[in-house]
């Protein structure tokens, strides 16, 4: 028993940290209420609804039911949603999920809007969107009560119905960027392009909700008629938004948990967590988790009215075929200028570039060729750059053995590069075999770069970035200058902060290298090239890579959550994903996520975040917990 | 597969000393002359037997270059054993051992067992560090020492298994409070290990699903 207590204590610390996010934001925005909020005696439950359920996955067995409450404390209103204990067949999965999804005392001062959904078929649900742009998963009211919920809120906080959409209720915020985000969605087009989807998950039916309000569990399944003001475009965007809210929540929790563990947990998160979760002492744990008073065990609820959400959604526009030479020529004027760079980027974003065209097009994407340059200008620039490259290269080539003996830094860098180029992509025919001239070229380019940018020098991972460039450019000087452009792109803070640079390179190479470490097929390599050119378009966001990461996480969400992955396991799992990623659907998801997030997404990426993931040390983790998205 | 104990290892040392090759030789019994550059961290796992008990080794293979140190450091926590590797043909990799040790002492738990490995002993003709120097360094710093070759597999099994033996002995001697805080030492108790009253056994079964697949 004694040990159990120790486990529970450690657990407590974990959950103190876990709930800190919620409560600290509460303190931040509402510091004057702090004293009252720390005193639960003051709290008055003004609304309580059982059988409010979230659907973490499309599987009915994985749904989590709980109790939704509005709590009045002083002049503040809070919302909580606490899952029931010990429900469901897959108890362990749901224990984990429950913790993940539990909503602990969110103050309404942090809520931006609430969207009500009253589908003709299925349960009514609401999506609560925070000012930060993050959304909680949809809360399905299995026993009705959405109207009452909104009415209660109205009694306590300022809430207005959006002029543009009668189902959106704005809290605190009168400008309504949420609305703008929604209307800026381009999704109908993309979905109309042939993506099968569950088309009736979220159809709003403005006139219908009142009648349905309290008869949800006995839904009229045949009632599929559409309302007169039904707008299919809106349906689709809502649907995507709904799914997106799941993803944001998940991604935030996952990453913040990951960071928290590596930061707070002094040691062995795997073991500790696993032991805790596996311990038979679920009751204790529950008590620690559910900071609020006892929640009843599951209340019986009617079965699923319709298994309408089993379809897997693929979002974003279907990928197009790669840009070919004929089409490419239409982007150029008679003298070879790219007439509309944005149109080009968009085209490449959706389809990539045919292999033979990459040499030319990548030079534009990377900024080595200016878009407004003519054929002749480029030809000239290439020759100038070639001689410039020769000059820099000569700087190290002219170092005599005697000089090198007295030049430790040079020897060290050269040694590192020599060691690394023979360990980079050697299973590719282009780089394989002893004495391969391309390996030699890679060495020369990297060493020249370390003279071109002496402050930065060489660091591991650079060879991975150079390899595809040399493979495509097939020319030493051009590969070098494209590499220079790429390094410039990888973040404005490179030269100021070497550590940041190194960390970014680490993150980049992890994220970008879709190829498995040992089995390196041409096909995998080609996917890497495709991903690169798509990311370089910076269309639709320069931080698209972040959305790509989320898309990848999302696609593996069931597995990650099902196996209760902790820091160690998650890292291992993600490591092993390389080579297993189905690029096109991931890109489509990423695009859709990016478009959906819109301004909210962009706003939550801290200004100055370079187009890469900052992963470095505790000091960075601390500040970005909430800002990963 | 169930185990009595799981030990978490970390492999550290300068870039290019053969860390990943040692791991590959140990887990897959093969040698890859040009192993891919390790970026960040990679994983390996294998079962061994000590004192008739199945023991699972979960091994974290790290990147060696200086710029990854800040990342590598976070893996010291919760490691029961460390293989500190240098290359007998490159003097500088031996000279850097002290700074690796310093990192380990600072970021690992005090009872971590450290095995010093002079790798590439098949390249005796290019030797730049003598066996005696290696022994001497190990003695001064309280490490176990072995020269090994990932290429010929000489002493590779021994290095990993002797380290595990030392950890196992520490458990028997009561150095670790495995019934309580095993995880902080990079040890997990499974079936047939010294039983922890609650957590351990279930923990091992879930671990087996997550990590050795």
């Amino acid at each position: 028993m004694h040990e159990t207590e120790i486990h529970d204590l450690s657990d407590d610390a974990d959950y103190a940290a876990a709930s800190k996010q919620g409560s600290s934001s509460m303190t931040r925005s509402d510091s004057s209420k702090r004293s009252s909020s720390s005193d639960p005696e003051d709290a008055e439950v003004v609304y309580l609804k059982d059988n409010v359920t979230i659907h973490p996955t499309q599987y009915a067995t994985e749904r989590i039911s709980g109790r939704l409450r509005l709590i009045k404390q002083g002049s503040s209103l809070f919302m909580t949603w606490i899952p029931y204990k010990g429900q469901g067949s897959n108890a362990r999965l749901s224990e984990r999920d429950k913790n993940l999804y539990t909503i602990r005392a969110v103050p309404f001062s942090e809520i931006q809007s609430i969207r009500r959904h009253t589908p003709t078929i299925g349960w009514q649900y609401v999506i609560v969107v925070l000012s930060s742009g993050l959304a909680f998963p949809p809360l399905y009211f299995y026993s009705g009560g959405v109207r009452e919920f909104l009415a209660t809120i109205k009694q306590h906080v300022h809430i207005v119905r959006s002029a543009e959409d009668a189902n959106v209720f704005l809290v605190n915020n009168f400008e309504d960027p949420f609305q703008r985000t929604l209307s800026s969605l381009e999704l109908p087009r993309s979905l109309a392009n042939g993506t099968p989807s569950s088309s009736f998950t979220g159809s709003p039916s403005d006139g219908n909700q009142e009648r349905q309000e309290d008869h949800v569990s006995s839904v009229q399944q045949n009632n599929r008629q559409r309302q007169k003001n039904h707008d299919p475009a809106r349906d689709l965007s809502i649907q995507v938004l709904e799914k997106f809210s799941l993803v944001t929540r998940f991604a935030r929790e996952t990453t913040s948990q990951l960071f928290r563990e590596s930061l707070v947990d002094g040691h062995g998160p795997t073991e500790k967590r696993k032991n805790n979760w596996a311990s038979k002492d679920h009751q204790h744990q529950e008590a620690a988790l559910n900071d609020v008073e006892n929640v009843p065990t599951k209340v019986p609820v009617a079965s699923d009215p319709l298994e309408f959400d089993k379809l897997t959604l693929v979002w974003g526009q279907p990928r197009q075929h790669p840009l070919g030479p004929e089409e490419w020529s239409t982007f150029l004027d008679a003298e070879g200028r790219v007439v509309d760079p944005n149109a080009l980027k968009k085209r490449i974003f959706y389809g990539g570039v045919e292999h033979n065209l990459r040499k030319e097009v990548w030079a534009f994407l990377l900024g080595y060729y200016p878009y407004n340059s003519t054929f002749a200008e480029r030809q000239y620039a290439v020759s100038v750059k070639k001689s410039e490259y020769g000059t820099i290269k000569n700087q190290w080539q002219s170092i005599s053995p005697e000089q090198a003996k007295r030049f430790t830094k040079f020897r060290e860098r050269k040694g590192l590069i020599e060691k690394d180029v023979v360990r980079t992509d050697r299973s590719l025919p282009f780089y394989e075999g002893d004495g391969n001239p391309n390996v030699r070229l890679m060495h020369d380019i990297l060493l020249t770069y370390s003279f071109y940018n002496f402050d930065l020098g060489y660091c591991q991972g650079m060879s991975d970035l150079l390899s595809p460039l040399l493979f495509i450019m097939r020319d030493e000087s051009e590969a070098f200058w494209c590499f220079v452009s790429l390094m410039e792109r990888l973040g404005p803070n490179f030269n100021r902060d070497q550590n940041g640079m190194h960390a970014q390179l680490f993150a980049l190479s992890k994220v970008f290298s879709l190829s498995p470490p040992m089995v390196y097929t041409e096909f995998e390599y080609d996917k890497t090239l495709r991903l690169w050119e798509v990311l370089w378009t910076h269309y639709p966001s320069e931080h698209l890579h972040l959305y790509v990461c989320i898309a990848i996480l999302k696609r593996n969400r069931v597995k990650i959550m099902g196996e209760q992955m902790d820091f160690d396991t998650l890292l291992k799992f993600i490591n092993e994903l390389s080579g297993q990623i189905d690029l096109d659907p991931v890109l489509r998801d990423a695009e859709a996520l990016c478009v959906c997030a819109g301004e909210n997404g962009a706003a939550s990426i801290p200004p100055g975040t370079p187009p890469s993931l900052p992963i470095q040390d505790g000091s960075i983790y601390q500040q970005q917990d909430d800002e990963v998205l | 597969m169930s185990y009595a104990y799981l030990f978490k290892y970390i492999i550290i040392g300068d870039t290019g000393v053969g860390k990943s090759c040692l791991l590959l030789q140990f887990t897959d019994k093969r040698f890859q002359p040009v192993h891919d550059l390790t970026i960040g961290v990679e994983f390996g796992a294998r079962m061994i037997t000590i004192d008739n008990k199945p023991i699972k080794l979960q091994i974290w293979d790290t990147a060696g270059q200086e710029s990854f140190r800040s990342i590598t450091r976070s893996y010291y926590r919760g490691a029961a054993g460390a293989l500190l590797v240098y290359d007998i043909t490159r003097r500088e990799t031996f000279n850097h051992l002290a700074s690796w040790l310093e990192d380990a002492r600072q970021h690992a738990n005090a009872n971590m067992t450290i095995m010093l490995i002079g790798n590439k002993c098949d390249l005796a003709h290019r030797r730049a560090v003598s066996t005696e120097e290696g022994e001497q360094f190990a003695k001064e710093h309280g490490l176990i020492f072995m020269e090994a070759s990932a290429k010929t597999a000489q002493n590779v099994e021994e290095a990993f298994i002797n380290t595990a033996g030392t950890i196992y002995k520490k458990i028997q001697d009561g150095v670790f409070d495995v019934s309580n805080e095993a995880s902080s030492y990079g040890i997990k108790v499974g079936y047939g290990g010294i039983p922890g009253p609650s957590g351990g056994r279930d923990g091992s079964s879930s671990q087996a699903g997550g990590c050795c697949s």
Side-chain angles (χ1 to χ4, degrees):
Chain A
M1 222 49 238
H2 189 67
E3 285 72 22
T4 315
E5 277 165 30
I6 286 168
H7 278 303
D8 278 348
L9 280 176
S10 63
D11 221 16
D12 251 332
D14 268 4
Y15 285 104
S19 54
K20 210 173 118 198
Q21 279 179 293
S23 59
S24 72
S25 55
M26 178 168 91
T27 320
R28 215 188 313 130
S29 65
D30 219 351
S31 54
S32 60
K33 310 294 184 310
R34 201 180 172 176
S35 54
S36 62
S37 69
S38 63
D39 183 3
E41 254 63 64
D42 285 347
E44 180 198 353
V45 177
V46 293
Y47 172 88
L48 185 152
K49 199 73 192 174
D50 279 306
N51 282 321
V52 176
T53 302
I54 60 157
H55 300 176
T57 67
Q58 67 264 45
Y59 304 112
T61 52
E62 290 178 10
R63 293 174 184 173
I64 305 170
S65 289
R67 173 179 280 179
L68 180 70
R69 268 181 295 197
L70 295 173
I71 299 168
K72 178 94 175 165
Q73 224 167 35
S75 61
S76 301
L77 189 67
F78 297 88
M79 184 182 91
T80 68
W81 178 81
I82 310 290
Y84 300 131
K85 293 175 187 176
Q87 90 179 92
S89 46
N90 191 346
R92 285 178 44 170
L93 171 67
S94 55
E95 288 310 313
R96 171 72 170 214
D97 279 1
K98 282 179 196 172
N99 176 46
L100 198 59
Y101 288 103
T102 298
I103 300 172
R104 292 182 181 82
V106 174
F108 268 73
S109 59
E110 296 213 351
I111 294 176
Q112 185 192 56
S113 64
I114 298 170
R115 173 176 269 278
R116 174 182 62 182
H117 297 262
T118 50
T120 16
I121 298 175
W123 298 292
Q124 301 186 336
Y125 60 99
V126 299
I127 295 176
V128 177
V129 180
L130 298 177
S131 318
S132 62
L134 293 169
F136 288 113
L139 295 164
Y140 290 80
F141 286 63
Y142 282 18
S143 312
V146 171
R147 186 172 44 162
E148 191 198 338
F149 174 67
L150 291 166
T152 309
I153 293 170
K154 197 166 185 174
Q155 287 169 19
H156 298 280
V157 297
H158 186 80
I159 179 170
V160 290
R161 199 184 277 256
S162 162
E164 286 175 63
D165 186 332
N167 278 316
V168 171
F169 296 84
L170 305 171
V171 187
N172 303 312
N173 191 334
F174 307 97
E175 279 190 0
D176 195 9
F178 176 70
Q179 220 31 54
R180 271 186 277 128
T181 307
L182 258 188
S183 53
S184 72
L185 288 180
E186 291 185 338
L187 287 145
R189 183 170 40 111
S190 58
L191 282 157
N193 272 348
T195 312
S197 61
S198 52
S199 58
F200 38 76
T201 315
S203 61
S205 47
D206 292 333
N208 217 11
Q209 71 271 24
E210 314 298 326
R211 184 174 53 79
Q212 267 207 333
E213 191 85 28
D214 292 306
H215 307 283
V216 175
S217 47
S218 58
V219 169
Q220 294 81 4
Q221 303 197 3
N222 302 325
N223 182 8
R224 293 189 61 174
Q225 93 229 18
R226 302 292 174 135
Q227 302 300 309
K228 50 204 172 304
N229 55 349
H230 164 77
D231 173 6
R234 177 151 285 159
D235 278 11
L236 295 166
S237 56
I238 288 163
Q239 211 176 85
V240 173
L241 185 78
E242 171 202 327
K243 299 292 180 186
F244 182 55
S245 67
L246 291 173
V247 177
T248 48
R249 173 75 170 166
F250 165 71
R252 191 183 69 142
E253 294 286 358
T254 306
T255 46
S256 65
Q257 185 201 338
L258 190 148
F259 295 145
R260 192 166 55 242
E261 277 193 341
S262 66
L263 185 71
V264 175
D265 220 13
H267 34 257
T270 322
E271 292 81 355
K272 194 162 101 190
R273 205 160 267 270
K274 282 268 158 68
N275 285 346
N276 281 339
W277 282 115
S279 96
K280 48 190 182 260
D281 230 334
H282 274 309
Q283 309 304 344
H284 278 229
Q285 223 178 357
E286 281 291 300
L289 292 191
N290 297 338
D291 39 10
V292 199
E293 77 268 24
N294 272 349
V295 175
T297 43
K298 190 185 183 187
V299 178
V301 70
S303 64
D304 208 345
L306 239 196
E307 291 288 326
F308 52 68
D309 54 359
K310 285 216 163 147
L311 293 169
T312 313
L313 285 179
V314 178
W315 314 321
Q317 301 208 13
R319 309 293 305 164
Q320 298 172 13
H321 59 86
L323 175 70
E326 263 178 51
E327 193 186 352
W328 165 239
S329 64
T330 67
F331 281 97
L332 304 175
D333 69 12
E335 294 182 295
R337 296 180 193 88
V338 175
V339 182
D340 186 348
N342 287 331
L344 176 66
K345 289 179 192 173
K346 187 173 175 182
R347 174 63 183 86
I348 293 168
F349 175 81
Y350 284 111
V353 180
E354 269 185 23
H355 188 72
N356 293 334
L357 209 54
R358 280 191 170 127
K359 181 174 159 64
E360 189 174 1
V361 174
W362 278 24
F364 285 100
L365 286 178
L366 284 165
Y368 175 45
Y369 293 164
Y371 285 105
N372 60 2
S373 60
T374 63
F375 290 125
E377 286 165 350
R378 293 200 284 274
Q379 206 176 1
Y380 176 70
V382 164
S383 67
V384 170
K385 286 289 184 187
K386 200 177 194 83
S387 88
E388 198 180 327
Y389 173 75
T391 307
I392 307 168
K393 185 177 177 182
N394 193 43
Q395 288 170 5
W396 62 262
Q397 280 188 318
S398 63
I399 293 174
S400 69
E402 282 305 304
Q403 191 186 354
K405 228 183 258 176
R406 297 164 179 82
F407 196 171
T408 309
K409 201 146 200 167
F410 171 70
R411 285 199 319 276
E412 279 176 4
R413 278 183 188 178
K414 196 167 188 311
L416 268 179
I417 292 169
E418 278 165 0
K419 275 213 145 309
D420 287 355
V421 291
V422 298
R423 295 191 279 173
T424 303
D425 296 341
R426 289 304 295 283
S427 50
L428 271 187
F430 188 69
Y431 292 113
E432 78 186 357
D434 289 337
N436 184 317
N438 295 322
V439 174
R440 181 76 214 170
L441 282 183
M442 189 144 56
H443 167 273
D444 289 0
I445 293 171
L446 288 169
L447 196 51
T448 306
Y449 183 77
S450 89
F451 273 73
Y452 174 80
N453 191 344
F454 200 86
D455 292 344
L456 184 58
Y458 171 76
C459 93
Q460 275 182 345
M462 282 185 181
S463 58
D464 285 327
L465 297 176
L466 174 61
S467 156
L469 293 178
L470 183 59
F471 176 69
I472 292 299
M473 304 315 287
R474 309 270 166 146
D475 176 276
E476 186 175 355
S477 163
E478 287 183 49
F480 172 81
W481 290 111
C482 284
F483 182 69
V484 167
S485 299
L486 180 61
M487 295 306 291
E488 293 297 315
R489 265 173 180 264
L490 293 183
N493 60 345
F494 274 16
N495 294 324
R496 271 181 286 139
D497 182 351
Q498 280 220 21
N499 276 331
M501 154 72 199
H502 293 147
Q504 281 159 359
L505 261 183
F506 165 70
L508 268 174
S509 49
K510 272 295 174 206
V511 174
F512 283 3
S513 80
L514 287 179
S515 309
M518 291 172 209
V519 198
Y520 215 176
T521 66
E522 290 280 359
F523 176 67
E524 294 298 337
Y525 201 65
D526 191 63
K527 283 205 292 188
T528 306
L529 305 181
R530 176 62 34 85
L531 175 62
W532 281 31
E533 63 203 11
V534 166
L535 290 177
W536 291 340
T537 62
H538 282 186
Y539 179 96
S541 158
E542 63 171 336
H543 295 110
L544 185 70
H545 60 282
L546 289 176
Y547 296 98
V548 170
C549 297
I550 296 165
I552 292 168
L553 280 177
K554 193 211 76 172
R555 291 202 154 251
N556 293 282
R557 165 172 166 276
V558 171
K559 177 142 173 81
I560 292 172
M561 292 175 62
E563 298 192 358
Q564 305 170 10
M565 288 194 184
D566 42 56
F567 178 72
D568 287 15
T569 323
L570 185 66
L571 187 64
K572 181 171 182 289
F573 176 73
I574 288 171
N575 253 11
E576 287 164 0
L577 277 182
S578 59
Q580 317 265 334
I581 293 166
D582 197 354
L583 184 59
D584 279 357
V586 163
L587 286 177
R588 287 171 66 169
D589 282 2
E591 179 203 355
L593 287 168
C594 188
V595 171
C596 287
E599 291 169 12
N600 286 333
S604 49
I605 296 172
T609 299
S612 168
L613 274 177
I615 294 181
Q616 196 202 344
D617 56 25
S619 62
I620 287 184
Y621 291 148
Q622 271 169 337
Q623 66 188 24
Q624 76 173 39
D625 254 8
D626 262 331
E627 298 169 350
V628 171
L629 266 179
Chain B
M1 195 168 171
S2 66
Y3 52 80
Y5 293 103
L6 180 144
F7 297 158
K8 185 169 149 184
Y9 280 13
I10 178 172
I11 312 182
I12 52 177
D14 275 13
T15 185
V17 296
K19 297 181 291 297
S20 303
C21 290
L22 283 167
L23 176 59
L24 189 67
Q25 181 59 260
F26 179 65
T27 56
D28 289 24
K29 300 201 190 307
R30 64 193 173 94
F31 176 68
Q32 210 176 20
V34 278
H35 195 283
D36 272 31
L37 192 53
T38 306
I39 300 290
V41 68
E42 302 287 343
F43 299 81
R46 210 189 103 179
M47 298 292 293
I48 59 170
T49 305
I50 288 179
D51 193 18
N52 285 324
K53 289 193 165 67
I55 291 181
K56 180 172 171 178
L57 301 183
Q58 185 195 73
I59 305 147
W60 296 49
D61 173 29
T62 64
Q65 205 197 335
E66 181 65 34
S67 45
F68 289 93
R69 285 277 186 112
S70 59
I71 294 156
T72 312
R73 283 187 192 112
S74 57
Y75 300 112
Y76 285 100
R77 289 182 305 217
L83 306 188
L84 171 54
V85 187
Y86 68 94
D87 174 353
I88 65 155
T89 70
R90 284 195 296 146
R91 184 86 205 168
E92 72 273 19
T93 66
F94 181 75
N95 295 341
H96 293 157
L97 289 178
S99 95
W100 283 109
L101 266 186
E102 194 181 316
D103 256 20
R105 302 273 189 235
Q106 205 172 338
H107 297 94
N109 84 71
N111 289 311
M112 183 169 78
T113 302
I114 303 177
M115 161 76 74
L116 180 65
I117 298 179
N119 192 28
K120 310 197 185 176
C121 69
D122 55 296
L123 301 175
H125 56 289
R126 282 165 47 193
R127 181 186 282 278
V129 184
S130 73
T131 310
E132 291 70 32
E133 285 174 291
E135 275 169 355
Q136 179 63 25
F137 184 91
K139 203 170 153 191
E140 278 168 20
H141 296 89
L143 319 174
I144 328 169
F145 174 67
M146 238 173 225
E147 284 191 347
S149 166
K151 187 173 183 180
T152 66
Q154 183 187 341
N155 274 347
V156 173
E157 290 276 306
E158 290 79 354
F160 282 87
I161 291 171
N162 287 7
T163 307
T166 308
I167 298 166
Y168 183 78
K169 185 158 188 310
K170 283 183 184 173
I171 296 173
Q172 303 296 311
D173 294 348
V175 174
F176 304 119
D177 182 5
V178 288
S179 62
N180 259 334
E181 297 173 29
S183 66
S184 64
Y185 301 113
I187 296 165
K188 198 175 301 187
V189 184
Y191 292 98
I194 293 174
S198 64
R201 303 197 327 170
D202 291 313
S204 71
S205 56
S206 70
Q207 182 62 37
C211 278
C212 71
S213 52

